[in-house]
Amino acid sequence: MGGPRAEYRERVPEPKNTFSFSSWRRRLLQRAVHAGWAWVQRTGSVTAESPGRLRFGAMGTGTRLAFPLGTVFGEPWIHLGAHCIIGEQVTLTAGLMPDLDLGPEPILRIGDGVVLGRGSHVIADTTVSIGSDCYFGPYVYVTSTNHSYDDPHEPIGKQWPRMDPVEIGPGCWIGTGAVVLPGARIGRNVVVAAGAVVRGTVPDHAVVAGAPARVVRRWTAAEGWQPPLRTPPPVPIPEGVTPEQLLALADLDEEGAARLAELETEG
């Protein structure tokens, strides 16, 4: 315990530069790599004007699929609304496998203004509908198909799956890592908590959490939010406020903020 302290500076070898480039050359190469990757991302993204190999049944103005893409097939039966943002590595599929004839009607419908976070999956072996202005966090999984295990002697992966349509109403927020199972019917303006597993019917204006997901809060016209919200709603920035004014407010100390509140009350 009382021995001499180790001299780490002498014993730990100095890191060696594995590159023969000088520092400024490495920085230059790094910038070139980043700029090249940004160019690849811009060029590889999919839009209605630049669909690449993909031929969606419908794709609205302003919609973009970020590059690199996830798995995409059955696109003739996928209808995308306008001004959607589809993140990197998002999987969109219609049908059990590519090159099937799924009939005249779309299988996967995504409304206007929908955002699908990075790594999300929407698997539409039968109809899946996502309403307008829905926002998905990363790695959300929505599927209209589930494995069956009726036959105890047959491997589960070889048994014919069960399919049930999925409907997600407009204005919903689906948290990171949530799973929406076949047959789910989610109402409008619903919050699905991160990691929730949703099945069955979820009413409008509800918050659901857990596995399986249960309603933990709901709004009705008669009672408002029950249980009541624990924090006041955020106040939007008033129209006409400039960035310079916001910066000036950020620099106020407590005394200045209190005086400003007094002036607002007086005026």
Side-chain angles (χ1 to χ4, degrees), residues 22-212:
S22 62
S23 178
W24 71 268
R25 285 176 175 169
R26 286 201 308 275
R27 290 197 298 269
L28 186 62
L29 178 61
Q30 185 182 50
R31 290 180 182 178
V33 169
H34 290 174
W37 179 245
W39 178 85
V40 169
Q41 287 180 304
R42 290 193 302 272
T43 306
S45 63
V46 172
T47 64
E49 295 76 21
S50 303
R53 64 175 178 81
L54 301 177
R55 295 294 182 268
F56 289 102
M59 190 174 188
T61 302
T63 289
R64 180 179 294 269
L65 281 73
F67 183 87
L69 305 175
T71 300
V72 179
F73 64 76
E75 58 270 22
W77 292 273
I78 300 175
H79 286 205
L80 303 173
H83 305 291
C84 296
I85 300 174
I86 313 299
E88 296 178 12
Q89 298 289 358
V90 169
T91 289
L92 300 174
T93 65
L96 283 169
M97 60 189 70
D99 303 323
L100 296 178
D101 186 351
L102 304 177
E105 297 298 323
I107 300 298
L108 172 56
R109 292 179 180 268
I110 296 177
D112 297 336
V114 171
V115 176
L116 301 182
R118 170 199 285 267
S120 293
H121 288 59
V122 183
I123 311 298
D125 295 334
T126 187
T127 55
V128 172
S129 173
I130 300 174
S132 296
D133 300 313
C134 284
Y135 286 69
F136 286 33
Y139 308 109
V140 171
Y141 193 91
V142 178
T143 180
S144 62
T145 302
N146 213 345
H147 293 288
S148 61
Y149 49 87
D150 302 70
D151 188 344
H153 306 294
E154 186 74 12
I156 292 172
K158 293 184 177 181
Q159 298 187 43
W160 191 254
R162 284 187 168 86
M163 301 180 186
D164 205 352
V166 171
E167 182 177 350
I168 300 175
C172 292
W173 167 255
I174 314 295
T176 301
V179 177
V180 180
L181 293 174
R185 303 288 191 275
I186 299 176
R188 64 184 300 117
N189 286 21
V190 168
V191 175
V192 175
V197 179
V198 182
R199 62 183 184 184
T201 300
V202 178
D204 295 345
H205 309 295
V207 180
V208 297

Side-chain angles (χ1 to χ4, degrees), residues 241-257 260:
V241 175
T242 65
E244 292 77 13
Q245 290 171 325
L246 291 175
L247 290 173
L249 288 173
D251 291 335
L252 284 177
D253 55 17
E254 291 185 8
E255 183 179 349
L260 190 62

